[in-house]
Amino acid sequence: MSEYGEFETGEQHEALDQVHEVDASEQDYQSQFGVYEQDHASAENTSFDQGHHVEYTNPSGEHYEESDFTSYDHSEAEADHIFAAEGSESASSSEFHQLDALQARFDAAFAEGTYASN
């Protein structure tokens, strides 16, 4: 050891490694449907009857008979039906991946010394 002490010089390397990773995904589904239905029914029935009947027999054996009839029928039917359907459907999917790597190097010079006095 000298009277001035010992001195050492050199270089030091420091490294920083950083990894940042992102994984993301999104999925979407939409469904919309509409149904419309309508029914209608109608029925009608008409009946008209008339009658007249006369029957006569007298004591002498004469016979008299009379008949009158009137008949009327009416029928009606109606039916309506409406059906409608409407719809839409959609789907989407997306994925995302990100990877960031950071590397930094720091160089630093240093000097180190010890001093000893005699």
Side-chain angles (χ1 to χ4, degrees):
M1 199 157 132
S2 68
E3 66 181 79
Y4 298 107
E6 289 187 19
F7 289 94
E8 182 181 329
T9 61
E11 210 173 281
Q12 181 177 350
H13 299 285
E14 299 277 337
L16 172 67
D17 292 327
Q18 180 180 2
V19 175
H20 179 74
E21 185 174 356
V22 175
D23 286 318
S25 66
E26 179 182 0
Q27 296 170 346
D28 188 23
Y29 175 78
Q30 294 179 350
S31 173
Q32 181 180 9
F33 287 96
V35 175
Y36 170 76
E37 184 169 342
Q38 180 181 7
D39 287 321
H40 173 74
S42 177
E44 185 177 332
N45 187 8
T46 303
S47 181
F48 176 72
D49 295 322
Q50 254 184 350
H52 174 77
H53 181 75
V54 175
E55 187 173 346
Y56 175 71
T57 306
N58 64 12
S60 63
E62 291 180 12
H63 182 73
Y64 175 75
E65 187 173 341
E66 179 181 311
S67 294
D68 293 330
F69 279 100
T70 303
S71 179
Y72 173 73
D73 289 324
H74 172 75
S75 292
E76 185 174 326
E78 182 178 339
D80 295 327
H81 182 80
I82 297 173
F83 175 79
E86 179 181 337
S88 67
E89 187 174 27
S90 66
S92 67
S93 176
S94 63
E95 294 185 15
F96 177 73
H97 180 74
Q98 179 182 7
L99 176 66
D100 291 333
L102 173 67
Q103 183 178 25
R105 181 175 211 131
F106 302 102
D107 294 331
F110 68 90
E112 197 175 279
T114 56
Y115 178 74
S117 62
N118 294 14

